[in-house]
Amino acid sequence: MERELGADDGPSSGVPASGSAAATGVEPPPPTDDTDPAWREALPGLAAYFLVSRLLVLLVAGVLLAIPVAHVPDTWTDRPMLAALTGSDAVYYLGIAAEGYHLDAVRGAYHDWAFFPLFPLAVRAVALLTGVDLAWAGVMTANLAFGAAMLVLYGLSVPHLGRRTAGRAVGMLALAPGGVAFAMAYSDSLYLLLAAGAFLAGERRRWPVAGLLYGLASLTRLPGVLLGIPIALLLLQANAWQPDRRIAWLAAGPLALAGFATWQGLALGDPLAFLHAQAAWAIPSVVDGGGSGGPMVLPALLIATLLFYTFLLVYLRPDRIPPPYLVLALVSLGAVLASLRLQSVARYLAVAWPFAWVLAKRRGWFADVWPYVTAGLFAISAVAHFTQALAP
C-alpha cells in the first residue's frame, strides 16, 4: 500500500518550526487520512472511468454498424446500437423477463434454464417503474448496477489500497477485457454490485446485510454461491480465527440456491436444470471460432486471458492481498475452469476485483502502458461480443 499521507514529517522537538501554526498564527490543515474515501475528490474520477468505458462501447458498436458483418448475430431488438447491447446471453435474460422460463429450448440446444432469475426480475421491475421496453430496461439495469458497483468497490478498496490506488483499481476493472459485459443487458454488473456489497458489509461487521447480499448474488449467477467461502474466511479473520455463530447468516447463499433448484424441479421437472443446461455452452463452442466461422485468433486470445489471470495469482500473496480476497480470486478462477465456458473467461474474471487490485498497485512503465493495452483488449472484446463471434 502506498505511504499514508499526513505523517508527521516535521521535527520532533517542542520548538515550533518556521512557518508553523505557532509562528504564523494560522491553524494548520488537519492531517490527511489515505484510508478515508474522500468522496468529493473521488467521484469525478470514478465518473470519468464510467463514461470513458461506456463511450468506448458505443464507439465500437457505431463502427460495426458501418462495416458489413458476415455473421448476423441474434439480438433481442433490431434497433441500431441497442441491438449490440442486447445480444447473446441478453436474449435469454430478456426472454425470461418477458415471459418467464420456457420448457422448450429457446435456440437450438440452448435452454434458458441455465440463467438465474434475479437479473430478469430486476429488468422487469425497471421496465415497470420507468415505462421503457425490456431492451432499454435491460441496458439501464446493467449500467445503473455497474455505476453503483464502482462506488461500492471503491469504498471497499480504499482501506486496503489507499485512495489513489483504489481509484486506479476501479478504473482497471471498468476497462478490463471482459468489462464490456458491464454495459450490456447481462447479469455481470448486478453480480459485481452484490458481491462487492457483501464483502463491504462483512468488513463493517454487518453480517445480516452480508448474508442477504450473498443470498441475492447466489440468485444472480451460479458462481455466486461460492462467495460464501471467502466471506466466511473474512468473518473468521475478523474474529481472530475463532468460530463465530454469526456465520449462520451465510446460510442465505445455499438456501437461495436450494430455493431456486426447488422451483425448477417443480416448474421444469428437473431441480438441477440450471446445471444440465450449462453443457450446451461448453468449450467445443469456441474451438472453431465460435461455431460461426470466426477466426482462430479469438480462442487464442481467450486462452491468453486465462493464462494472464492465472499468472496474476503469483502476486495475490497474503502479504499483498488479505487472505479472503486471495480465496475470492482462486474461487473465481476455479469457477471458470469448472464451467467449461472458455468463451466467457474474460467476463467471469472481470468481476474478480482482487486481480484489479494487483494491477493497480503496479508502478513504473507498467502503470503507463497498461491503460492503453487494456483499452485495446476491451475494444477487441466488444467486437467479439457485438458480432457474437464466440457466441453459440
Side-chain angles (χ1 to χ4, degrees):
M1 178 172 157
E2 295 178 338
R3 179 181 178 275
E4 292 189 358
L5 301 177
D8 184 7
D9 293 327
S12 58
S13 67
V15 180
S18 176
S20 68
T24 64
V26 178
E27 187 69 22
T32 302
D33 181 6
D34 197 35
T35 62
D36 179 357
W39 288 104
R40 181 175 297 180
E41 291 79 8
L43 285 176
L46 297 177
Y49 282 125
F50 180 85
L51 292 175
V52 167
S53 59
R54 305 309 92 173
L55 289 173
L56 187 53
V57 165
L58 295 177
L59 176 63
V60 172
V63 170
L64 289 176
L65 284 176
I67 300 176
V69 179
H71 171 55
V72 179
D74 294 323
T75 62
W76 180 258
T77 178
D78 57 1
R79 282 169 285 179
M81 301 294 284
L82 193 57
L85 303 177
T86 58
S88 194
D89 285 2
V91 174
Y92 300 90
Y93 283 121
L94 298 181
I96 297 168
E99 302 172 345
Y101 289 90
H102 300 81
L103 288 174
D104 298 323
V106 176
R107 279 172 174 76
Y110 302 100
H111 291 265
D112 59 10
W113 309 340
F115 299 90
F116 277 48
L118 190 62
F119 181 72
L121 287 172
V123 171
R124 186 70 176 178
V126 169
L128 292 174
L129 290 173
T130 62
V132 301
D133 63 29
L134 288 176
W136 277 112
V139 174
M140 287 173 58
T141 302
N143 283 274
L144 288 173
F146 183 63
M150 291 179 70
L151 298 177
V152 172
L153 188 57
Y154 175 76
L156 176 65
S157 303
V158 166
H160 297 284
L161 306 177
R163 289 197 299 270
R164 182 180 177 185
T165 307
R168 281 171 49 84
V170 175
M172 288 186 172
L173 185 140
L175 290 171
V180 63
F182 299 137
M184 302 175 67
Y186 281 18
S187 65
D188 300 64
S189 297
L190 182 59
Y191 177 79
L192 176 64
L193 172 61
L194 295 170
F199 275 86
L200 182 61
E203 291 210 346
R204 295 181 176 180
R205 311 298 187 263
R206 298 174 181 172
W207 293 106
V209 177
L212 173 62
L213 295 175
Y214 167 44
L216 292 175
S218 299
L219 291 175
T220 307
R221 281 170 46 172
L222 178 58
V225 73
L226 300 178
L227 291 174
I229 302 172
I231 296 176
L233 189 62
L234 181 66
L235 172 58
L236 291 173
Q237 185 181 42
N239 201 45
W241 304 105
Q242 298 298 317
D244 192 316
R245 63 184 180 182
R246 291 175 295 176
I247 204 169
W249 286 108
L250 300 186
L255 287 175
L257 181 61
F260 181 51
T262 300
W263 180 87
Q264 283 200 332
L266 295 174
L268 306 174
D270 181 3
L272 297 180
F274 61 89
L275 281 178
H276 297 153
Q278 292 280 347
W281 281 276
I283 283 180
S285 62
V286 301
V287 171
D288 64 348
S292 59
M296 285 297 294
V297 69
L298 293 177
L301 284 174
L302 292 175
I303 293 172
T305 301
L306 180 61
L307 293 176
F308 176 71
Y309 278 98
T310 303
F311 172 76
L312 285 179
L313 286 174
V314 175
Y315 295 97
L316 287 172
R317 302 197 311 260
D319 61 326
R320 297 184 178 182
I321 299 295
Y325 297 98
L326 170 61
V327 173
L328 172 61
L330 288 169
V331 165
S332 301
L333 187 59
V336 171
L337 297 175
S339 71
L340 300 180
R341 293 191 63 178
L342 182 60
Q343 65 268 43
S344 300
V345 62
R347 285 176 48 204
Y348 285 3
L349 291 178
V351 299
W353 63 86
F355 292 112
W357 282 5
V358 170
L359 290 170
K361 293 173 72 173
R362 303 295 296 171
R363 291 293 181 263
W365 65 268
F366 183 89
D368 297 327
V369 172
W370 181 250
Y372 300 99
V373 173
T374 193
L377 294 174
F378 182 94
I380 294 172
S381 178
V383 172
H385 275 75
F386 296 161
T387 61
Q388 297 182 26
L390 293 174

